[in-house]
């Protein structure tokens, strides 16, 4: 029997944890529950104990609990740790590595995968701090069941409602069975490339790597073996995947070739089109007032190369199109020109998307164009990887 350690943190949605326990038990999982101080205000230990059929843990410094099962052991005895509902507070504690109660200590001490189902007021969910914490946790391999949108107990409307228990159970099942992409290899490119001009200068672009890194983490969460090939970024190294760090487009190209074969390739990197004939010494002003000439040569096109028909071609190749005008038209043309299967097209013209935390895209496939509402990059990564999972069903 697979075992779940369920941490119930505070919030009006905590009552739904009882339904989750009931569904999980019905599906054959063993559930051990941990209740935080705030959680106790919304559900009683007795109701959780009745539904799990097991002791409910609440205190970090309980002599009886420690003599039966120490908190370190408790954090490792399960196959999966689930936090539902996960408040903004517990997410912040996880992101910051705090351990000042039993729940946060277990989350820091565990060696198992962690799945969180956030629930909170819409403003708290949309706050930059919460979104940054979610992105950080996803990069570390934490699985996130996105909250639903709708009317809230506090009277406001928007995203922040706990996902319905059957949806959380489906995510648990995917995590425990290693997800729909189990056995598949995915290559993801991410970030900008740096093309040196001389020993101290380079050509670059505004790509942050946030979208590509989030996609790599989301594919790994679906069970894929992921090779993330990243240009220079200012992001934490994601958890649970192979990370290859490169600087130039030519290095990225070589790394992608070396990582083949793969079932999936997602080319999210903003690869420089050109590299510069590099000066061996720092370029100097020579007093003539004439700028030095930069000798540019074309970089290899990683996406177009990987998409060429042949035995090494991944079954699903996804390209990105960052455009500033005529989005659908240019992206559709790009899909044909590069011979990739899907194109994720985003308008990067002055909307704060490149380098920002949100994205608004069109997904262009052989079947046509889907327009996705503006959402966080992590949510978009999850939506895209779910679609990739469905493609391989
Ligand atoms: O040609 P353009 O840069 O507009 O196309 C964008 C798509 O092509 C992205 O998916 C990007 O990762 C990929 N690309 C690439 N190698 C290049 C240039 C772009 O893989 N040299």
């Amino acid at each position: 029997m697979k075992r779940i350690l369920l941490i119930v943190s505070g919030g009006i949605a905590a009552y739904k944890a009882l339904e989750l326990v009931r569904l999980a038990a019905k599906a054959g999982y063993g559930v051990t529950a941990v209740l935080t101080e705030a959680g106790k205000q919304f559900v009683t230990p007795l109701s959780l104990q009745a539904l799990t059929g097991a002791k409910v843990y609440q205190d970090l410094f309980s002599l009886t609990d420690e003599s039966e099962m120490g908190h370190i052991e408790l954090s490792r005895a399960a196959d999966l740790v689930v936090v539902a509902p996960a408040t903004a507070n517990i997410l912040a504690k996880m992101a910051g590595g705090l351990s000042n109660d039993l729940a946060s200590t277990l989350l820091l001490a565990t060696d198992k995968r962690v799945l969180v189902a956030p629930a909170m007021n819409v403003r708290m969910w949309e706050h930059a701090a919460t979104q940054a914490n979610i992105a950080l946790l996803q990069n570390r391999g934490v699985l996130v069941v996105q909250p639903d949108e709708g009317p809230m107990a506090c009277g406001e409307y928007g995203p922040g409602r706990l996902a319905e228990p059957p949806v959380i159970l489906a995510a648990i099942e995917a995590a425990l069975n290693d997800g729909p992409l189990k056995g598949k290899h995915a290559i993801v490119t991410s970030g900008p490339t740096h093309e040196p001009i001389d020993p101290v200068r380079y050509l670059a672009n505004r790509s942050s790597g946030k979208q590509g890194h989030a996609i790599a983490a989301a594919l790994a969460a679906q069970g894929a073996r992921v090779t993330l090939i990243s240009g220079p970024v200012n992001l934490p190294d994601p958890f649970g995947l192979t990370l290859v760090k490169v600087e130039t487009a030519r290095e990225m190209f070589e790394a992608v070739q070396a990582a083949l074969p793969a079932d999936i390739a997602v080319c999210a990197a903003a690869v420089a089109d050109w590299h510069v004939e590099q000066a061996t010494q720092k370029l100097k002003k020579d007093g003539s007032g004439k700028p030095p000439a930069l000798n540019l040569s074309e970089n290899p096109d990683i996406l177009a190369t990987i998409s060429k028909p042949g035995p090494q071609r991944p079954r699903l190749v996804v390209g990105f199109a960052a455009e500033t005008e005529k989005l659908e038209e240019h992206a559709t043309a790009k899909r044909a020109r590069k011979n990739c299967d899907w194109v994720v097209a985003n308008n990067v013209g002055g909307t704060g998307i490149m380098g920002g935390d949100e994205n608004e895209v069109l997904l262009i496939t052989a079947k046509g164009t889907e327009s996705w509402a503006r959402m966080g990059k992590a949510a978009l990564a999850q939506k895209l990887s779910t679609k990739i999972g469905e493609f391989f069903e």
Side-chain angles (χ1 to χ4, degrees), residues 141-170:
V142 171
L143 308 168
V144 179
V145 185
Q146 294 291 320
D148 283 342
E149 189 167 323
M152 319 202 85
C154 53
E156 289 186 73
Y157 185 96
R161 280 159 52 126
L162 184 68
E164 290 304 321
V167 174
I168 303 175
L169 183 66

Side-chain angles (χ1 to χ4, degrees), residues 223-261:
R225 176 169 70 81
V226 177
T227 307
L228 171 62
I229 300 166
S230 174
V233 293
N234 201 3
L235 294 172
D237 291 350
F239 176 86
L241 46 76
T242 305
L243 175 62
V244 183
K245 294 184 183 181
V246 298
E247 202 176 315
T248 66
R250 286 163 293 165
E251 286 168 8
M252 189 173 273
F253 178 84
E254 292 304 329
V256 168
Q257 295 302 314
L260 287 169

Side-chain angles (χ1 to χ4, degrees), residues 139 188-191 207-218 228 235 266 268-269 320 344 346 353 355-361 375-382 384:
N139 274 330
V188 180
T189 69
S190 181
S207 168
S208 63
K210 283 177 195 162
Q211 188 62 81
H213 276 52
I215 290 167
L228 171 62
L235 294 172
V266 181
F320 272 66
V344 180
N346 50 6
I353 280 178
D357 291 322
E358 290 194 329
N359 218 340
E360 187 177 342
V361 306
M375 65 183 101
K377 287 185 173 172
L380 193 139
Q382 198 164 320
L384 184 68

Side-chain angles (χ1 to χ4, degrees), residues 267 269 271 273 300-303 319-320 334 338:
C267 292
V271 185
D273 290 326
D301 192 313
I302 301 164
L303 175 62
F320 272 66
K334 193 163 288 177
K338 304 236 186 187

